Amino acid sequence: MQRDIERILIDRHAIAQRLDEIASQIMSAVCPVPDDAPADWQRDAANGVFDTSQCNQITLVPILTGSIIFVADLIRRLPLYMQINVMSVSSYPGSATTSQGATINKQLTELPESLAGKHVLLIDDILDSGNTLRLVTHEITKRKPASLRTCVLLRKQRPEAMALSVDYVCFDIPDEFVVGYGLDYNDYYRNLPDIVTLTPEAIAAHDDGTSS
Ligand code: IMP
Ligand code: MG
C-alpha cells in the first residue's frame, strides 16, 4: 500500500497540531465566557481550561464513512457532554473520483425529533462540490436545532467549495483527489495515517469502471 502513495500532502503531525487548534476554537464557541465573568474564569478560558458545567451540550453529526478517523481524533479533544448521531451520504460511488451528486443512503430515521433544540456540529471529511454539505445542512435545519455549525477536515480550493460558508476548516487543499485519514478511493486507503495523493498506477489498479 505504501508504494501507491504519490506524495504526502498533510502528514499526521500537521493534522494533530491543527486538530488541537480547531478543538480549542470549538471549545471557545461552545463554552462562551460572559463579559462580566470573573477574571479567573476569563483567564482559564483563554488558557483553554473550561468549566464544562457552563458549556452547551452538543450533538455531533458525523457524515460516514470518510469522517470516522477525524471525528475519533477530534472528540477526544472536546471535554464536553456530547451526543453523536452519524449519517451516511454518498456522492462518489465505487472508484469515481468526481462527485456523482449526493444522496442519503440511510434515511434520517433517528434524527427528526432528536435534533430539535440541540446545538449541532456537522462534521464531514472533505468539502468538494458542496452537494453533501448543502443537502445535510438542509435536512438538519428542517429539524430546528438551536444552532448548527459545520466543520470539515479538508476544503478543496475550487469555486463551489469556497462559496459555501463553513465554520471550521482544518485545511484548504488544491483541487486534487486525496486519500488517507478516513478518505478513500473505492473504499481503500482510509487507514493511511497521512493525507496523500495516489500514483496513476494505484488509481488504475483499483478502478472498478465507475470513474467519470
Ligand atoms: P461533495 O458532496 O462533492 O462536497 O463531496 C463530498 C464527499 O465526497 C466527501 O465527503 C468525500 O466522501 C467525497 N470526496 C470528495 N473529494 C474527495 C477526495 O479527494 N478523496 C476522497 N473522497 C472525496
Ligand atoms: Mg463523505
Side-chain angles (χ1 to χ4, degrees):
M1 195 171 66
Q2 301 303 316
R3 71 166 74 109
D4 297 349
I5 296 173
E6 183 182 59
R7 74 177 203 288
I8 295 180
L9 213 61
I10 307 168
D11 73 25
R12 65 201 78 179
H13 308 293
I15 297 170
Q17 203 177 351
R18 183 69 179 134
L19 257 57
D20 286 343
E21 293 170 5
I22 292 288
S24 77
Q25 286 177 25
I26 294 172
M27 288 300 292
S28 307
V30 175
C31 309
V33 180
D35 289 341
D36 57 356
D40 56 343
W41 182 358
Q42 306 216 21
R43 195 181 49 239
D44 283 351
N47 291 328
V49 179
F50 296 94
D51 171 2
T52 41
S53 66
Q54 306 294 327
C55 303
N56 288 317
Q57 289 196 24
I58 60 172
T59 301
L60 255 61
V61 178
I63 300 178
L64 297 177
T65 306
S67 70
I68 52 171
I69 298 180
F70 175 37
V71 168
D73 283 347
L74 185 65
I75 58 177
R76 284 176 287 175
R77 290 168 162 85
L78 299 173
L80 291 168
Y81 292 105
M82 64 167 66
Q83 294 174 313
I84 303 180
N85 270 304
V86 296
M87 273 190 65
S88 178
V89 176
S90 78
S91 51
Y92 278 39
S95 62
T97 53
T98 55
S99 177
Q100 309 289 303
T103 50
I104 295 179
N105 293 343
K106 199 177 77 182
Q107 282 301 320
L108 301 173
T109 47
E110 316 297 327
L111 297 185
E113 291 75 24
S114 63
L115 291 186
K118 298 282 175 70
H119 294 282
V120 176
L121 180 61
L122 172 59
I123 302 192
D124 202 4
D125 53 356
I126 185 164
L127 176 56
D128 183 17
S129 71
N131 288 334
T132 306
L133 217 61
R134 241 193 318 274
L135 173 76
V136 179
T137 301
H138 179 70
E139 290 299 322
I140 293 175
T141 306
K142 284 200 291 196
R143 279 133 181 107
K144 308 230 180 305
S147 69
L148 171 58
R149 288 199 177 89
T150 46
C151 172
V152 294
L153 173 67
L154 305 173
R155 175 172 62 183
K156 285 194 187 171
Q157 285 172 308
R158 52 181 285 198
E160 300 88 333
M162 305 304 283
L164 271 183
S165 128
V166 181
D167 297 287
Y168 308 102
V169 176
C170 297
F171 299 97
D172 277 312
I173 61 163
D175 186 6
E176 32 185 344
F177 193 77
V178 295
V179 298
Y181 199 71
L183 290 116
D184 73 302
Y185 173 55
N186 203 7
D187 249 341
Y188 293 105
Y189 303 109
R190 295 193 197 277
N191 52 328
L192 287 173
D194 308 306
I195 295 165
V196 308
T197 59
L198 293 172
T199 63
E201 294 75 23
I203 302 243
H206 297 293
D207 188 348
D208 66 5
T210 47
S211 51
S212 53

